[in-house]
Every structure is written in structure tokens, then in C-alpha cells.
Amino acid sequence: MQKRIWELTASMLALTCLTVTGCGSQPIRYMQKKRPSQNINKIEHKHEIKTTQPSCDLYKISMSNLQEGWALSNKGILYTQNKGRTWDVILSHIFQQIHNPYNVHTYFYKKYAWIWVNLNNHEYMYFLNENKFYEIPFKLHFDSTESQSFIDFINSHQGWILINQSQSMQGSKLLLYSTNTQGKYWKLISQSFLQSYNELPFHGEPTGIKFLNTNNAFISGLNTSYGDIYFYYSNNDIQWHAIRLPIPPKSKDAQFISYPVKFISKTIGYLPVIETQIHVDPISNQSYEQSSVIFYKSVNSGATWNIFQQLKLPQQTSQPTLIHWVVLPNGSFVVSDFSGIWENSFHSSTSKWKMLTNTFTSLKIEQIQFASNNIGFILSTHGQLYKTSNGGLTWKIVSIKLHLS
């Protein structure tokens, strides 16, 4: 039974996607992806979406507010200052040499962006301030095409990169670098393979890192034991501590994967954990997985966490767990699963999930973001951008008009 759980967990981790609202959030990718060949109009759903072919394919979006935002495309880095009506194209000369934009590492923070890419076995890094860009020395010695990286900045100067670097037969190692110079210089501050006071105790597959401030950081990922949920918390000069989370009574034999925390204030934060259990149908004697999302909440800057809400996902026998979620400014949760997009205001203990639309499901969504309680954006798996102005009830395609910067 345990072997079966691990097989399913590996495939689930390989394709699971969680996103959080705000700048710099991104889905987790463990495999190279290709755009589906079918057109979204050919997928049956109850509410018809009329689309037009965009002038470029989008791979990532980050709307920092109602006016400004960034996007990663096959044409270059895009920047808008007018709600996405027109976009400046930046670094187009670099993207002419890139065959797979998924290999481009990006982080967007308000009007700033950091881009780095491997070209001809050399790493290049760029700092963008609105539509201006600067090449900066990149002295982190790792191959970005063979490594995972997770980035977080708390302002335009201070940031961190967590690198999960493959070492073939030796497994992988984690390296954590920091910068306070907008990325011009980086310092190794913690790692997973040396015995030292600041050693990273995390040895599994990370899903992300989040810094609340310069002293408080959180690493999430695949738990390597059964019946327990741990993720890692650091304070006071990067000394790491494991946090054991409470488990629902019926989840003792489940497998858990934690995902990056999202703080909506200096003290209040949310942590999503995917729980997967294996069941056996008594009639067919075939096994199937049942998943749910457990949302944990902290009110003391992440020092302690309690179960806030649990959402059971539709039973899937062949598809991995896939979910996208955001927290709106008013505190409501918007979550997508295999059946559609759901919302819960949590104004009372009896609040229930209500479906906003079944037009989009998790399998059709690359990213979901909300810039306000009503204005939101969806990036589809076909590279098209959609916008809602009524809190997610209806969505219209955004025509991407480019301006060469």
C-alpha cells in the first residue's frame, strides 16, 4: 500500500499547480510543458467563450494592481500600465534565441522584474524597472536548465533564491542565496548538505519559499513521512525549525504536500496543504485516490498554524491533484478544481462553497489572479488571457496588443 501511495504522490507532485494572488506568485512546474494543440473553443462547457487568436502566447502573468502588470511571453517580457490594453515588449532580442520560455526564470515585484536565462551555456540576468532593463553580473554557478529555483523579494533590493540543484547519483541539494543589491551580488546563507548551524533541514522536494521579512522565512514541499505534516520556518539569522501541523482526525494515513504560504498582512497568513488518501473500491477491488485541500491559518506571523478550512476535491482516478487559489482583499477564497471555480466568503462558521463558473477548471488554468475583489485575470493553458469585472462570474478574453519598447 505504501508503495502505491508513493507512486501516486510522485506523479501528483510532478504536475500539481498551486498559485497565490499577488506579485511574483507562480505555478510549480516539475516537467517541461507544451501547449495543448486543441483550441479552447473545442472543449465542451456550459458557458460559451468566444475567443480571438492573441498576437503572442503568454506563459505567466503578474498584475501588481489594477493598472500595472507583467507577463512572460514567447515574444519577450511584457509590461502594461493601462490595465492590459497595450503591452511594451522588453528583451525581445533575447527571446529570439529562446526555444522554450518555460526555461526562463522570472520574478515580478510591483514595477520591478528579475529575469535570468541560460543561453549557449552561459547565465544572463536582467533587472527591469518598468520598461527599462539592465544586464547585471550573474555569479551564481548553477545550470538553470537542470535546476529548480524559487524566488522571493520583499522590496526592490532585498531578495532570495532557493535553488534545488540536481546532482545525478547523489540526489539533489538546496542552496539559499540572498541579495540586498537588486540582484547585483548574491551571498550563500544556507544549504542542505553541510553540517552547520544554518543547515537547511529540508531534504525533500520543495514547492516554494516565502519571506515575511528579513528574519522570517518559510519553505514548503513534499513531506517524507506518513501521518505528519512538516514545513520549515526560520527566524533570527536563518536558523531553521520544523513546524508540525495539526492533522484532521481521518487523515492519519494520508500523504501531504505543503505549498507556499500567503500573508495578507504582517500577522495573518494562509498555508495550503494537499492531502491524498488511497481507497479501495469494495466492489471492483480497484484503488483510487481521494484528495482534499487543507487551508491552515496563522494570526501570529507564522509562529503557529491551525486548520482553517478543508475542501474535498472531486474523486479522480487518473488525473493528478490540480488546484489554483487566491485570497481576495475582502478575505474571500477563490479556488479552482476539476469541476470549476468556487468561492467562499467565510463570513460565518456555516459559510459554504458556491460555484462561480464551470467555464474554467483547473485543467484549463495556468494561473489565476485578482487585483481587487471584482477585477481578476486567468491565464489559460492555451496562452490566452481572460478578465473578469464581476468577481469571477463571467470572463472575457483580453486582446494582447504589443508595442516594441
Side-chain angles (χ1 to χ4, degrees):
M1 176 65 73
Q2 287 189 349
K3 180 180 179 182
R4 172 62 176 162
I5 292 177
W6 275 110
E7 289 174 351
L8 288 170
T9 302
S11 64
M12 177 177 67
L13 180 62
L15 294 177
T16 301
C17 242
L18 267 90
T19 56
V20 295
T21 188
C23 306
S25 59
Q26 61 182 356
I28 308 300
R29 295 190 184 90
Y30 290 87
M31 299 176 61
Q32 296 298 328
K33 297 178 64 177
K34 294 183 179 180
R35 292 291 185 202
S37 58
Q38 72 269 29
N39 187 283
I40 195 171
N41 288 325
K42 297 180 182 179
I43 301 176
E44 294 184 0
H45 46 67
K46 295 182 180 179
H47 302 286
E48 182 72 16
I49 298 180
K50 296 182 179 180
T51 68
T52 58
Q53 183 65 30
S55 55
C56 67
D57 289 333
L58 302 185
Y59 295 83
K60 180 181 176 181
I61 59 169
S62 179
M63 298 300 295
S64 55
N65 52 52
L66 293 177
Q67 294 287 335
E68 299 173 292
W70 296 92
L72 168 65
S73 78
N74 60 332
K75 302 293 186 181
I77 301 298
L78 309 185
Y79 179 69
T80 181
Q81 300 181 77
N82 55 16
K83 302 181 181 180
R85 288 194 292 269
T86 60
W87 300 78
D88 290 333
V89 184
I90 312 168
L91 298 178
S92 59
H93 63 293
I94 296 296
F95 278 71
Q96 292 174 3
Q97 308 173 56
I98 297 173
H99 301 292
N100 186 357
Y102 280 124
N103 288 334
V104 179
H105 296 251
T106 62
Y107 186 83
F108 304 126
Y109 177 82
K110 297 184 178 180
K111 63 178 182 179
Y112 308 106
W114 290 263
I115 316 296
W116 62 97
V117 63
N118 184 294
L119 293 175
N120 301 319
N121 296 321
H122 292 284
E123 299 289 340
Y124 296 88
M125 190 171 192
Y126 299 89
F127 172 70
L128 284 63
N129 184 344
E130 295 184 340
N131 58 4
K132 302 179 180 63
F133 70 90
Y134 312 89
E135 184 175 352
I136 58 180
F138 192 83
K139 297 181 179 180
L140 300 186
H141 300 291
F142 74 100
D143 185 352
S144 63
T145 62
E146 299 294 332
S147 306
Q148 288 175 279
S149 62
F150 305 93
I151 313 99
D152 195 31
F153 274 75
I154 58 173
N155 54 48
S156 63
H157 285 74
Q158 292 179 297
W160 294 263
I161 297 178
L162 176 67
I163 299 170
N164 184 20
Q165 190 169 23
S166 175
Q167 292 197 302
S168 61
M169 298 298 293
Q170 301 177 18
S172 60
K173 64 179 180 181
L174 297 181
L175 302 168
L176 181 62
Y177 293 86
S178 69
T179 180
N180 57 9
T181 58
Q182 295 185 330
K184 296 182 178 67
Y185 305 101
W186 296 88
K187 177 183 177 182
L188 180 64
I189 60 173
S190 192
Q191 49 195 325
S192 64
F193 61 98
L194 291 179
Q195 296 295 329
S196 62
Y197 80 96
N198 64 348
E199 177 193 8
L200 275 168
F202 189 92
H203 296 282
E205 288 287 339
T207 56
I209 188 167
K210 175 63 182 176
F211 274 79
L212 183 58
N213 50 51
T214 55
N215 294 321
N216 295 64
F218 304 86
I219 293 180
S220 55
L222 170 64
N223 184 39
T224 56
S225 62
Y226 293 91
D228 292 307
I229 311 175
Y230 291 95
F231 79 114
Y232 294 89
Y233 165 72
S234 172
N235 63 358
N236 299 328
D237 197 25
I238 312 300
Q239 296 184 42
W240 296 93
H241 311 278
I243 296 180
R244 184 173 181 176
L245 302 174
I247 299 174
K250 297 182 180 180
S251 304
K252 296 298 183 182
D253 297 322
Q255 183 69 58
F256 302 98
I257 304 176
S258 62
Y259 282 85
V261 301
K262 168 63 181 177
F263 282 91
I264 61 173
S265 70
K266 292 182 178 180
T267 57
I268 299 177
Y270 297 95
L271 166 70
V273 173
I274 295 287
E275 170 219 45
T276 301
Q277 297 193 56
I278 306 300
H279 302 278
V280 178
D281 188 286
I283 299 177
S284 64
N285 202 33
Q286 292 186 352
S287 61
Y288 63 93
E289 66 175 88
Q290 178 67 58
S291 298
S292 65
V293 184
I294 307 171
F295 288 105
Y296 292 83
K297 182 178 181 179
S298 174
V299 295
N300 53 11
S301 302
T304 58
W305 298 82
N306 294 300
I307 296 176
F308 173 64
Q309 182 67 221
Q310 187 169 6
L311 172 64
K312 288 194 176 296
L313 302 176
Q315 176 184 322
Q316 295 288 321
T317 56
S318 60
Q319 296 289 350
T321 302
L322 189 66
I323 183 173
H324 304 262
W325 70 286
V326 293
V327 183
L328 303 187
N330 62 9
S332 296
F333 274 62
V334 174
V335 176
S336 72
D337 63 16
F338 292 103
S339 59
I341 299 178
W342 300 78
E343 186 264 347
N344 195 330
S345 63
F346 298 121
H347 288 158
S348 67
S349 59
T350 59
S351 296
K352 296 182 178 180
W353 292 92
K354 67 176 182 179
M355 178 174 281
L356 295 175
T357 178
N358 63 355
T359 299
F360 290 99
T361 68
S362 289
L363 294 177
K364 301 176 187 177
I365 295 176
E366 187 81 11
Q367 243 184 307
I368 182 169
Q369 283 196 339
F370 273 78
S372 70
N373 293 328
N374 294 314
I375 307 297
F377 298 87
I378 280 179
L379 176 60
S380 77
T381 53
H382 302 265
Q384 296 173 322
L385 185 62
Y386 295 83
K387 180 180 179 181
T388 180
S389 299
N390 53 16
L393 295 176
T394 59
W395 298 83
K396 295 181 179 180
I397 193 169
V398 178
S399 179
I400 306 299
K401 298 179 181 179
L402 304 181
H403 173 260
L404 188 60
S405 183

